Amino acid sequence: MRKIIVILFFSFLLYGCKATDKEIQPDTERYVKHENSDLANGLNLNSNGSYEYHSNTLNIRIQPVIKSKLKYWVSTIKVNNVSQVKSAFAGGSFSSKKEETSEIAKKNKAVFAVNGAGIQFRSRSTVIRDGKLFRSDFAPLEVRKNGKLFIGDGRRTAEDMLEQGALHTFDFGPELLINGKVPSFKNQDWFTTARAPRTAIGQKKPYEYIIITVDGRSSESSGMTFAELVKVFQSMGVTWAYNLDGGGSTTLYYLDNILNHPSDGKERQISDILYFTE
């Protein structure tokens, strides 16, 4: 009798613990299960469901998050030099051309890329890329030469931006966090509380960037509101955050693959990307 009890006890420990382990990580288990195993191995998919890339100059960690009717990716990118934070135009020039995010990324040897600001969608925005001025008007988000993000108030000229170290500018919006504070969205007609696919960038400290990519407009993921995006950034200690182009343009490229599910059912052709490289 005693032997039977001992056997039952150890059987419970063995199989009961395995069941519990699966129960506490349902999202990760579900995500890994649907990954192609060869693809997952090629992209360095860890046992916790995150993708990681490490080199002497570039470190990337992409953590998928799956909740009820919501799927998004939190990507943490650390670079040694701000020159590794890049932007590129479709067709290789500032024009009306459009290409898929993956096309532009591959041509520029990107390790990680997302859709940019839709420079042809906002035709009046200031466009500075690699310190060169292409169009002068208005742009709230700057990636500066010191590795920091900065969001202006719209009254600064392109010359002001360049003088103060703007390397790249992006104008889509809205701004989500300005120096740790949530801006007031009251009476701003373009601000919406609807859930949708989103692409947004934030920063904890110089040379470290947080990019959130949200799937939306599907039965699996309805997307996020701007307020929900803010909460995710705040939970990670981000002080500056800005919403880039989203909707059907939202695309997450990593090592020659698209990780998310663009809401159009395929990649949308866009005008520019934000990317990171060695």
Side-chain angles (χ1 to χ4, degrees):
M1 184 67 178
R2 180 176 297 177
K3 288 183 179 180
I4 295 174
I5 293 173
V6 171
I7 291 171
L8 290 173
F9 175 75
F10 280 104
S11 296
F12 171 79
L13 287 179
L14 178 61
Y15 296 105
C17 287
K18 286 184 177 179
T20 302
D21 186 57
K22 289 185 178 181
E23 289 169 6
I24 62 174
Q25 295 183 341
D27 295 340
T28 300
E29 292 292 332
R30 182 153 58 97
Y31 183 83
V32 175
K33 181 179 179 181
H34 289 285
E35 286 290 340
N36 175 286
S37 59
D38 293 333
L39 174 63
N41 291 333
L43 298 184
N44 298 323
L45 181 67
N46 292 333
S47 59
N48 66 355
S50 68
Y51 297 97
E52 294 195 11
Y53 177 96
H54 300 288
S55 73
N56 292 332
T57 62
L58 179 63
N59 289 281
I60 300 172
R61 183 174 186 269
I62 305 172
Q63 180 64 61
V65 180
I66 303 177
K67 299 183 178 181
S68 177
K69 294 186 178 180
L70 177 62
K71 184 173 184 179
Y72 63 97
W73 289 258
V74 178
S75 304
T76 302
I77 302 105
K78 298 179 182 179
V79 298
N80 278 13
N81 194 293
V82 73
S83 64
Q84 296 171 259
V85 185
K86 298 280 192 178
S87 180
F89 300 124
S93 63
F94 181 66
S95 66
S96 59
K97 294 180 180 179
K98 292 184 178 181
E99 292 180 295
E100 294 178 349
T101 296
S102 60
E103 290 183 84
I104 309 173
K106 289 175 182 178
K107 289 178 182 178
N108 289 277
K109 298 180 179 179
V111 177
F112 176 103
V114 291
N115 51 289
I119 55 173
Q120 300 306 331
F121 181 81
R122 292 289 179 93
S123 59
R124 293 182 58 242
S125 64
T126 292
V127 179
I128 297 172
R129 302 293 163 90
D130 290 316
K132 181 180 178 181
L133 179 64
F134 290 90
R135 185 170 66 203
S136 179
D137 200 303
F138 169 76
L141 178 68
E142 301 169 28
V143 179
R144 291 185 165 181
K145 294 177 180 178
N146 60 5
K148 294 182 179 179
L149 296 186
F150 179 80
I151 299 173
D153 60 7
R155 292 175 292 183
R156 297 162 60 254
T157 65
E159 289 70 25
D160 292 333
M161 298 176 195
L162 289 168
E163 185 178 336
Q164 294 170 20
L167 182 66
H168 310 297
T169 61
F170 295 92
D171 175 27
F172 199 89
E175 53 270 28
L176 303 172
L177 285 168
I178 300 177
N179 201 19
K181 297 182 179 180
V182 181
S184 173
F185 302 121
K186 189 176 181 180
N187 299 325
Q188 296 188 29
D189 293 337
W190 44 264
F191 183 78
T192 176
T193 57
R195 287 187 172 86
R198 308 285 184 196
T199 303
I201 183 171
Q203 184 170 57
K204 298 173 68 174
K205 56 185 177 181
Y207 308 111
E208 181 176 342
Y209 307 89
I210 307 294
I211 292 181
I212 297 177
T213 310
V214 187
D215 273 355
R217 298 174 182 167
S218 73
S219 58
E220 290 187 355
S221 183
S222 58
M224 276 191 188
T225 66
F226 293 132
E228 289 168 340
L229 264 179
V230 168
K231 288 182 179 179
V232 176
F233 277 124
Q234 286 178 318
S235 71
M236 302 188 68
V238 168
T239 54
W240 296 87
Y242 188 80
N243 184 67
L244 298 171
D245 189 9
S249 299
T250 287
T251 309
L252 174 55
Y253 171 95
Y254 173 65
L255 293 178
D256 293 335
N257 292 275
I258 301 302
L259 296 189
N260 75 314
H261 300 88
S263 62
D264 288 353
K266 61 180 181 178
E267 286 187 67
R268 176 182 291 183
Q269 291 193 328
I270 58 172
S271 54
D272 62 305
I273 66 170
L274 168 66
Y275 72 97
F276 296 83
T277 189
E278 292 286 2

